[in-house]
Amino acid sequence: MPNGKPFCAIWVGKLITGCPVKLACCVKGLPLTLELTIISFIGQLILGFILTLGQMSKERLIFRITRIYISFMRGTPILVILFLIYFGLPDANYQIPAFTAAAVAFILNGAAFVSEIFRSAFLGVDKGQYDAAKSLRMPYLKIIRYIIFPQAFRIAIPALGNVILDLFKGTSLAAVITVSEMFMHAKIVAGRNFDYMTIYIEIVLVYWACCSLITWGQSHLEKHLDYN
């Protein structure tokens, strides 16, 4: 209790007095955080969909390769994948920028989880619709594209919402490979001012606010699709 003041009162005072300047420095990394999140999420959706088709394939080799890949990525920490790509590839004389390495790591790892979400959503679509389309001699890819996928995507939205929330928060791990995202800026500001508690409380509130907006967008999308 320095100077007779409780620690909580000191922290609140720091949050109020130093918040505008320090917070402005921290959120300079927010655009890069959002860019990394959006690029990685789109990549996860595309690769996850391809992996889902692989899981549904009747070709045993394709099915087994897909299942092994998904099992490997689901059982490997994302931090290890980040280090493997950014620090490991240079040993093979192949260096890629930190941002690219982070995006590739998030895509490769997250696509495995997205694929499982899509697979369960596909199974949630009434099999009778597939059989009806098949009886009309529709090509397999058209059945997936026009009949199965739109319904499966609606089923998958809540789970995909969790994926993008975890991805947005997980981008903070990219700081360990020197990506100048929001948490990296917060670390720099905290170290410069020797005020870790205040800065980290502020950045937690920023993450919370952004995740709340994402959740609101997810709920709005669900209501829109249910209405249609």
Side-chain angles (χ1 to χ4, degrees), residues 164-184:
I164 194 170
L165 286 174
D166 287 339
L167 177 59
F168 177 77
K169 294 180 293 183
T171 54
S172 60
L173 291 173
V176 301
I177 60 169
T178 71
V179 177
S180 298
E181 45 73 62
M182 189 163 57
F183 184 63
M184 171 64 87

Side-chain angles (χ1 to χ4, degrees), residues 2 12 32 34 39 47 52 56 73 81 84-85 157 190 216 219:
V12 170
L32 194 64
L34 293 173
I39 291 174
L47 181 56
T52 302
M56 298 172 63
M73 284 300 175
I81 303 297
L84 182 63
I85 294 175
I157 286 177
W216 175 84
S219 300

Side-chain angles (χ1 to χ4, degrees), residues 190-205:
R192 184 189 304 151
N193 293 275
F194 298 100
D195 186 12
Y196 297 95
M197 179 61 74
T198 305
I199 300 301
Y200 290 154
I201 288 176
E202 291 177 356
I203 209 67
V204 161
L205 294 176

Side-chain angles (χ1 to χ4, degrees), residues 18 64 99 156:
R64 287 181 177 178
F99 181 89

Side-chain angles (χ1 to χ4, degrees), residues 50-98:
I50 294 172
L51 291 172
T52 302
L53 295 180
Q55 291 194 79
M56 298 172 63
S57 175
K58 295 181 179 180
E59 294 290 336
R60 296 183 64 85
L61 180 59
I62 295 176
F63 173 79
R64 287 181 177 178
I65 292 175
T66 303
R67 291 302 301 173
I68 291 173
Y69 176 86
I70 291 173
S71 175
F72 177 78
M73 284 300 175
R74 291 178 72 191
T76 307
I78 181 62
L79 189 59
V80 176
I81 303 297
L82 281 168
F83 273 59
L84 182 63
I85 294 175
Y86 187 68
F87 295 111
L89 286 181
D91 291 341
N93 296 320
Y94 191 77
Q95 178 73 52
I96 60 177

Side-chain angles (χ1 to χ4, degrees), residues 113-126:
F113 296 91
V114 171
S115 177
E116 286 295 278
I117 292 172
F118 279 153
R119 184 179 68 87
S120 62
F122 274 40
L123 294 176
V125 177
D126 187 3

